[in-house]
Amino acid sequence: MMIFSYIDKRLALSCLLLILSLPVQGTSRVNLNDELRQSLKQLRTTSDSLPAAALERWQALEGEYNFEELDETEQLLWLWTKASVNQANFIIGPAVLAAEKLDSLMNKSIDIQLSREDKTNMHLTIGDLQAMAFDIPQAYLSYEQAREESRKTQDSLLWWITSDRKVQMLNTLGDYDRMSDQSLELIQLAEALKDNDKIAHSYHFMANALRGISDFDRAERYYQKEIALLETMKDDLAMAFAHSNLAGSYSLAKEHKKSVEHSEISLSILKELGQEFYETGIWISMGRSLIYLGETDKAQQALNKGNQMAQDQQFQEAIVQGMLGNSELLIYEGKLNQAEELLQLALDITYEFPMPQTRNSGLEVLINLYKQRRSFERAFEIQAIKATLEDSLIDVRKQLELAEMEVKYETQKKERALEKNINELVLQKEANRRLLTGLLAVALFVFVLILFYTKIRKARNQLRSQNESLDMLNATKDKFFSIIAHDLRSPMIGLQGVGQKLEYFIKRNRQEKLLEIGGQIDQSIDQLNHLLNNLLNWAVSQTDGIPNHPEVLSTYDLIQENIRLYQSLAESKDIEVICESDHGAVYADRNAFATIVRNLLSNAIKFTRQGGKVNIRTESTDNSCTVSVSDQGPGIDAEQLKAMKGHFSPSKTGSGGEKGFGIGLRLCKELAEMNGGHISIKNLADEGACFSIFLPKTVDSASMSEIKEG
């Protein structure tokens, strides 16, 4: 058990904390900067409504944080926010670069510490920017990844949004077979959401898909369902677009009259709404239908209006469609050379701006031109180019199908890897839990053992301290009884034989001797009484039981009271007691102060020669009062003064042969300190000694005195 000799409670607690702080294998860092995360989330939320403010705040954040010092999850959030804010402000270049980095980092990561909702929205942002950069295949794959994530969220709205984006890409790619299947799922999701706006939107894509596979009757039914639903919603703008799409379907079905009718309905609605901006494609589509109806003048007017709007808007797709319409009009009018030149210009634009579907339509018009010329060889060459284009589109679709399967495979692979990691983490946590439980048990045992030993050691120390106190008290008691036996012995011896002496002098009628003996008896009794008081007070003080109730006292009244007590003793030695008081006050216990005055006065009378004087003087300052008692005795030599500073002062015979008791000054010192004061002793210049007691005047000065002593 000696090993615990220097251990205390703090060390025991330190040992416990050390064991608890041991590193546990398998723990991972999940320590996001909450302030940064909240700032990034706020920027993404407000970037659409307050794009300029979001950009300014983003630029400030870029100056505050170093991207390389962020952990993987923080980097993902950082890149996502950068892409979103720049996209909202139409700063496309940095937005696309951020999206590329985000896509690369997400594909490398297996266990991303983000919610599925966040991961879904990240893929959506990446896909949107890839679509803006005309990277349609990659955009499609990003939307597929978003869709796979959204399936697991159980969030039908998010699932619908990702499915809608995927359908849009299929529409752009011209993959109408798969688009029709996806559109059916889109309708079912929208109906489950009971959201008419999304249901109408889903009808629209289903109709477009059916139109793309030349199922015009079913396409018409879905367009009509869309229009009917939009009428109940009173969404006139969407209804104008629906009539425009229905007109396009009729045009492909060679029902040009119906196509023109629905185009005119669409234009009428847009005009009423003041939304002429959206009329561009409708005018061009209607102009191409009017050509087949033989209304060339109206066709030219419609095409001219649509072409002018397309040029003003720099709408490249519409510009090419307008050029194709004008080419068809020129062919109809027999102006084949002009038509060929215009078609070549249109096809050049489709290569500059990726428009595979529009390029395919342009090649179809060019083939018809060469057929009319009877240039079948040239027509065959263009047909081969068209076939190659269609094959490339089919290849792209197949590649996308394969890529889509790969995305699903990689997603499942990541899910399996993540599931494996989770299982391993669960097993590791269980092992860690068992290890931690064992460590806690050991730590608790050690802590209890140390605490138990500490309590035992404390009890031993307390017992040792109590024994030492008892030894000191016994030593003090023994010394105290020795003093009593010694100092009481002389006065008691002096009283022995007094009865015989009285009897002797009475028989001889010696009155003067009787009076002298009576005085001696009184003096002895006074001395005994005074000694007993001192001994009793001191005895109580040695056991910490002396009462102390300080109060403001008049020095003059108490001094006069004690002078009267010793007046007869002073007169027996013909000593004059002089009191020079300023009538000040002290803050002390009444009994203690009276005891101090009696002891000093008794000592002064004891050592003053026959016929001498004893002076008592009080002097007051702002904070204290000094009581000085001086005698006309022999003074105090250096050795005796040194002895007075000890625990007991030596006894000394007075000027009249009085025996000393040796405890008065010690008692004065203890009582003075108990009341916040102190005592000083000095020899006078001529003869005698002066004893001064310094005591506080008020409660505040008593407190200050205690502070100084401490």
Side-chain angles (χ1 to χ4, degrees):
M1 297 302 288
M2 290 301 294
I3 192 173
F4 296 112
S5 60
Y6 295 100
I7 297 177
D8 59 10
K9 288 184 180 179
R10 287 179 294 178
L11 182 56
L13 184 58
S14 299
C15 292
L16 180 60
L17 292 176
L18 178 61
I19 293 175
L20 294 180
S21 64
L22 289 174
V24 181
Q25 183 180 1
T27 57
S28 60
R29 179 187 184 271
V30 184
N31 184 25
L32 286 180
N33 186 322
D34 291 335
E35 183 179 353
L36 174 61
R37 187 172 187 176
Q38 289 301 322
S39 297
L40 295 176
K41 182 178 180 181
Q42 185 178 14
L43 283 176
R44 294 193 301 272
T45 304
T46 60
S47 60
D48 289 333
S49 58
L50 299 169
L55 180 61
E56 183 179 355
R57 176 58 183 143
W58 168 252
Q59 291 169 344
L61 274 181
E62 284 187 310
E64 295 176 16
Y65 294 90
N66 185 350
F67 176 80
E68 299 300 330
E69 294 178 356
L70 304 178
D71 68 17
E72 183 181 67
T73 306
E74 292 166 351
Q75 288 182 345
L76 289 170
L77 292 171
W78 183 274
L79 291 170
W80 180 22
T81 306
K82 182 176 183 178
S84 300
V85 172
N86 281 287
Q87 180 186 6
N89 285 274
F90 299 101
I91 307 175
I92 305 303
V96 171
L97 288 175
E100 289 176 355
K101 290 182 180 179
L102 178 61
D103 187 37
S104 176
L105 188 57
M106 289 189 74
N107 289 330
K108 291 178 183 177
S109 303
I110 294 178
D111 185 14
I112 300 175
Q113 300 294 324
L114 287 172
S115 66
R116 292 196 181 276
E117 289 79 2
D118 282 346
K119 287 188 277 189
T120 300
N121 286 309
M122 282 183 180
H123 285 302
L124 285 174
T125 300
I126 294 168
D128 291 345
L129 286 164
Q130 288 169 336
M132 292 178 70
F134 300 105
D135 192 352
I136 305 303
Q138 285 301 319
Y140 174 80
L141 292 178
S142 294
Y143 291 143
E144 175 60 25
Q145 288 175 308
R147 187 164 174 268
E148 286 299 312
E149 287 290 347
S150 67
R151 281 178 179 273
K152 301 160 191 169
T153 63
Q154 304 299 318
D155 186 339
S156 298
L157 176 59
L158 195 57
W159 190 3
W160 183 91
I161 291 171
T162 56
S163 298
D164 174 63
R165 294 283 217 293
K166 184 178 176 182
V167 168
Q168 290 182 45
M169 290 300 101
L170 290 171
N171 185 45
T172 303
L173 291 166
D175 191 351
Y176 299 115
D177 287 324
R178 286 203 298 162
M179 181 181 174
S180 62
D181 294 336
Q182 296 294 326
S183 296
L184 181 59
E185 183 181 288
L186 199 64
I187 292 171
Q188 293 170 347
L189 287 171
E191 289 176 344
L193 290 169
K194 298 180 180 180
D195 188 326
N196 287 339
D197 182 60
K198 290 179 175 54
I199 293 172
H201 185 84
S202 303
Y203 286 159
H204 166 78
F205 279 112
M206 174 59 88
N208 282 359
L210 293 170
R211 183 182 71 182
I213 59 176
S214 301
D215 190 348
F216 300 115
D217 291 337
R218 290 179 65 199
E220 180 186 3
R221 287 198 296 273
Y222 273 101
Y223 280 129
Q224 293 293 359
K225 289 175 71 172
E226 178 190 7
I227 291 169
L229 186 56
L230 292 171
E231 284 179 347
T232 62
M233 296 167 58
K234 301 187 183 303
D235 190 343
D236 294 334
L237 182 60
M239 194 157 47
F241 296 147
H243 280 289
S244 172
N245 284 296
L246 180 56
S249 182
Y250 281 132
S251 177
L252 291 173
K254 309 301 183 183
E255 295 185 48
H256 297 294
K257 186 176 181 180
K258 288 183 178 180
S259 176
V260 171
E261 289 175 357
H262 283 279
S263 292
E264 288 175 341
I265 293 172
S266 178
L267 291 168
S268 175
I269 295 172
L270 290 172
K271 186 175 182 180
E272 289 179 7
L273 295 174
Q275 297 288 345
E276 289 84 354
F277 178 84
Y278 298 107
E279 295 178 357
T280 306
I282 302 171
W283 283 112
I284 294 171
S285 177
M286 187 172 70
R288 296 177 73 175
S289 290
L290 287 168
I291 294 171
Y292 292 100
L293 292 174
E295 300 181 29
T296 55
D297 291 339
K298 289 184 178 180
Q300 187 66 70
Q301 290 175 5
L303 288 170
N304 288 342
K305 190 171 182 64
N307 288 334
Q308 185 60 51
M309 293 181 70
Q311 291 290 343
D312 293 341
Q313 297 168 3
Q314 287 296 299
F315 187 2
Q316 299 299 325
E317 178 79 22
I319 289 172
V320 174
Q321 292 289 349
M323 294 171 74
L324 294 179
N326 281 322
S327 299
E328 290 174 331
L329 181 58
L330 290 169
I331 292 171
Y332 183 83
E333 293 174 344
K335 301 175 182 179
L336 301 183
N337 291 335
Q338 294 180 33
E340 184 179 10
E341 291 178 2
L342 189 58
L343 280 169
Q344 289 297 341
L345 290 174
L347 290 171
D348 288 342
I349 295 175
T350 65
Y351 284 102
E352 183 180 357
F353 298 95
M355 305 175 194
Q357 300 299 325
T358 305
R359 187 189 314 148
N360 198 41
S361 299
L363 292 172
E364 183 67 37
V365 175
L366 189 58
I367 290 169
N368 291 333
L369 183 148
Y370 287 129
K371 284 181 178 179
Q372 286 198 26
R373 274 186 180 174
R374 304 188 69 78
S375 299
F376 296 112
E377 183 178 356
R378 184 61 178 153
F380 180 77
E381 292 175 356
I382 300 302
Q383 182 63 49
I385 295 173
K386 183 173 181 290
T388 302
L389 175 61
E390 290 175 346
D391 289 342
S392 68
L393 290 174
I394 292 172
D395 289 341
V396 169
R397 293 167 191 166
K398 288 181 178 179
Q399 289 174 7
L400 285 177
E401 288 181 12
L402 291 173
E404 184 177 345
M405 292 176 63
E406 185 179 357
V407 166
K408 291 180 179 179
Y409 170 73
E410 290 296 331
T411 302
Q412 290 176 355
K413 185 178 177 181
K414 283 186 178 182
E415 289 293 327
R416 286 194 295 269
L418 182 59
E419 184 177 356
K420 181 180 178 181
N421 289 343
I422 291 173
N423 291 335
E424 290 177 353
L425 184 60
V426 169
L427 293 175
Q428 186 63 53
K429 283 184 176 179
E430 179 63 22
N432 290 344
R433 186 187 65 79
R434 292 175 181 175
L435 176 61
L436 185 60
T437 301
L439 290 174
L440 283 172
V442 173
L444 185 60
F445 175 76
V446 172
F447 182 75
V448 170
L449 183 63
I450 294 172
L451 190 63
F452 179 71
Y453 177 77
T454 302
K455 288 185 176 180
I456 292 177
R457 192 184 66 179
K458 183 178 179 180
R460 286 178 177 175
N461 290 338
Q462 289 178 343
L463 184 60
R464 186 182 301 111
S465 177
Q466 290 173 355
N467 288 336
E468 290 174 355
S469 297
L470 287 174
D471 290 341
M472 184 179 295
L473 288 174
N474 284 330
T476 303
K477 177 199 69 176
D478 294 341
K479 189 176 294 184
F480 186 71
F481 281 122
S482 296
I483 293 170
I484 293 175
H486 179 270
D487 283 352
L488 284 181
R489 185 170 177 272
S490 295
M492 293 301 296
I493 290 174
L495 291 176
Q496 288 180 358
V498 170
Q500 295 176 354
K501 289 180 181 181
L502 288 174
E503 182 180 355
Y504 176 79
F505 287 123
I506 289 172
K507 288 179 179 180
R508 285 163 177 72
N509 198 20
R510 300 280 300 272
Q511 294 294 328
E512 69 281 359
K513 290 291 184 179
L514 289 175
L515 292 174
E516 182 180 348
I517 291 174
Q520 291 175 352
I521 291 173
D522 287 340
Q523 184 177 355
S524 296
I525 291 173
D526 284 341
Q527 287 178 339
L528 285 172
N529 183 55
H530 180 66
L531 174 60
L532 286 173
N533 284 334
N534 286 341
L535 291 174
L536 288 174
N537 284 330
W538 189 35
V540 176
S541 70
Q542 289 299 113
T543 58
D544 294 325
I546 190 168
N548 188 53
H549 303 292
E551 58 182 301
V552 178
L553 304 171
S554 170
T555 57
Y556 179 79
D557 293 340
L558 277 171
I559 290 171
Q560 289 296 329
E561 178 181 331
N562 284 282
I563 288 175
R564 287 192 292 271
L565 287 175
Y566 287 91
Q567 189 66 40
S568 59
L569 181 60
E571 289 176 353
S572 66
K573 295 182 66 175
D574 195 21
I575 294 172
E576 181 182 2
V577 179
I578 302 171
C579 178
E580 300 177 7
S581 175
D582 62 354
H583 295 272
V586 293
Y587 183 74
D589 180 81
R590 174 180 291 274
N591 292 324
F593 182 64
T595 300
I596 292 170
V597 173
R598 285 197 302 271
N599 272 279
L600 295 182
L601 182 57
S602 173
N603 274 352
I605 294 173
K606 172 182 174 182
F607 293 105
T608 298
R609 65 180 181 275
Q610 190 79 17
K613 295 180 180 180
V614 172
N615 290 309
I616 301 177
R617 176 178 297 178
T618 63
E619 293 179 347
S620 299
T621 62
D622 292 339
N623 297 321
S624 65
C625 180
T626 304
V627 179
S628 299
V629 180
S630 58
D631 59 54
Q632 291 183 345
I636 306 171
D637 57 41
E639 184 178 349
Q640 188 179 17
L641 187 60
K642 180 179 179 181
M644 286 181 177
K645 296 178 181 180
H647 192 69
F648 291 93
S649 58
S651 173
K652 187 179 179 182
T653 303
S655 60
E658 303 96 329
K659 297 292 184 179
F661 309 125
I663 61 174
L665 290 179
R666 177 60 185 170
L667 183 59
C668 289
K669 181 177 181 296
E670 290 182 357
L671 293 177
E673 290 174 350
M674 187 174 64
N675 284 273
H678 63 280
I679 186 171
S680 71
I681 307 169
K682 65 178 180 178
N683 285 318
L684 298 179
D686 46 4
E687 60 180 353
C690 179
F691 296 83
S692 299
I693 298 293
F694 300 87
L695 291 170
K697 288 179 63 176
T698 61
V699 179
D700 293 337
S701 57
S703 300
M704 288 302 297
S705 176
E706 290 175 3
I707 292 172
K708 290 178 181 178
E709 289 294 327

